[in-house]
Amino acid sequence: MSDEFYNLKVKRGSEDIKLDTFKNKVLLIVNTASQCGFTPQYKGLQETYERWKDKGFEVLAFPCNQFGEQEPGSDSEIKLFCERTFQTTFPIFSKLEVNGPNTDPLYLHLKKKAPGIFGSLDVKWNFTKFLIDRNGNVIKRYAPVTKPEAIEKDIEKLVQT
């Protein structure tokens, strides 16, 4: 059990949420943006969430405005956009930073446990995805171009264990 992961806190509005809320669940953590070429992946994220949520799977979306300022809205505007446009029902957390001096502790952890190509720690763009097992271990990082549907075989393996 990864206590390091489960001791982390994230924000949803004014609320601090400890990640141990998601203990024993398989998680797909995604940095998102509403005005990105990859924004249509919200549809695939919702479909993947619907397909696996009853087996202990969650999608956790973290809006980020660091890539081309493609997430300019407030937390409430982002949530409303996602619900109206893609009928999202998975949790969308407060905006955070995934790179640089103000990197959120969650992303410091994810990047350290699953570096990118050539060992790079930076998140390259919106919709980079991290798959976490039921014990809080970071299993894999996926590039922004990887559609949620392409991850489902990996999700299926984890929800069945």
Side-chain angles (χ1 to χ4, degrees):
M1 190 75 58
S2 177
D3 289 336
E4 186 182 357
F5 177 79
Y6 288 122
N7 286 330
L8 293 168
K9 291 180 185 163
V10 292
K11 283 207 168 299
R12 195 167 182 196
S14 61
E15 185 181 6
D16 275 339
I17 298 170
K18 210 167 161 194
L19 288 177
D20 70 357
T21 304
F22 301 100
K23 258 186 185 169
N24 301 314
K25 296 209 177 217
V26 173
L27 305 174
L28 188 63
I29 296 176
V30 188
N31 64 301
T32 58
S34 300
Q35 298 176 12
C36 175
F38 296 120
T39 301
Q41 285 189 26
Y42 268 120
K43 181 179 188 290
L45 290 169
Q46 180 62 30
E47 289 168 353
T48 301
Y49 172 65
E50 289 288 333
R51 202 164 2 269
W52 298 104
K53 69 179 181 176
D54 294 337
K55 303 237 189 259
F57 172 73
E58 292 276 348
V59 171
L60 307 182
F62 291 91
C64 178
N65 195 37
Q66 288 187 286
F67 304 103
E69 297 182 355
Q70 295 178 344
E71 190 56 277
S74 69
D75 289 348
S76 58
E77 289 169 335
I78 294 163
K79 185 176 183 305
L80 188 61
F81 167 80
C82 292
E83 288 171 352
R84 284 187 176 162
T85 310
F86 299 102
Q87 294 72 51
T88 56
T89 57
F90 52 82
I92 298 173
F93 292 86
S94 295
K95 259 202 290 200
L96 52 63
E97 292 191 14
V98 300
N99 292 327
N102 298 316
T103 299
D104 189 88
L106 169 61
Y107 272 84
L108 289 174
H109 177 80
L110 295 173
K111 295 186 306 183
K112 181 175 79 176
K113 297 294 183 183
I117 286 194
F118 306 119
S120 168
L121 291 184
D122 278 351
V123 168
K124 296 294 182 216
W125 202 256
N126 303 309
F127 290 87
T128 296
K129 300 156 201 76
F130 292 87
L131 187 61
I132 317 298
D133 72 10
R134 292 185 189 277
N135 296 313
N137 299 306
V138 182
I139 300 301
K140 193 170 179 182
R141 178 195 284 218
Y142 301 89
V145 295
T146 305
K147 293 183 178 176
E149 308 86 270
I151 300 171
E152 288 206 36
K153 283 190 167 120
D154 294 341
I155 293 168
E156 184 176 18
K157 286 179 199 163
L158 293 177
V159 297
Q160 292 178 344
T161 57

